Amino acid sequence: MENNLFDLDGGVEGRRERLDALEQQVSVCTKCDLSETRTNTVFGTGNPTSPLMLIGEGPGENEDATGLPFVGRAGKLLDDILAAVKLSRDDVYLTNLVKCRACVEEGGRWKNRPPRTAEVNACDPYLQAQLEAVKPAVILCLGGPAAKSIIDKNFRITKDRGEWHDVYGARTMATFHPAYVLRQRGDDLKETKRLVWRDIQAVRSEYDRALEKRG
Ligand code: SF4
């Protein structure tokens, strides 16, 4: 990682330039095996000066095909969750722990798999540089793997979600990943949605507080 990605400071343009340079590096990265099976790298999108960064685990099939984070049904649900507190993707910065799809060939098809620790570690300097550039006041981890990596390796999403932590100088919380919500049925679905909606309202309050502080 070149130091200039960490040294630059400044306003919107400075942050955009910094993220653009980083995205360019990621697009040709071969630091881990995931580079061998990816179609596109999936860097991140959104507002580089947002007080809120959302961090998921990694791209899936749809994201790999488009180069964009959180597309398909889980992406639509994420949009709905944000819209419930009057936010859109343009108001937040959205990225993942790893920037390339983790997949395995089974029966002639490539299936998503969780990224390995070594792959998450190899990609972490890019996430750190994104955090340095965006400087979020609030971080929302989407799902257990992101929470384990960002908040605590012993994090249990069903027990520990919805609680605030201070990480990277930001108020940090985890909630369920939208794809997990979509896998629930019946009463479990209702309860999971209720908890996610509660979490996003708490995140919105912290977001407002961060905006107020900025003045
Ligand atoms: Fe590079 Fe990250 Fe992709 Fe691995 S996952 S090849 S470290 S960009």
Side-chain angles (χ1 to χ4, degrees), residues 26 29-32 34-35 38 98-100 119 122-123 126:
V26 165
C29 177
T30 55
K31 285 202 301 173
C32 82
L34 298 187
S35 63
R38 74 180 176 222
V98 295
K99 316 305 187 204
C100 302
E119 293 158 350
C123 215
Y126 298 128

Side-chain angles (χ1 to χ4, degrees), residues 9 36 48-49 120 135 141 143 146 190:
D9 204 359
E36 292 171 15
T49 60
V120 172
K135 296 184 175 57
C141 300
K190 267 193 214 155

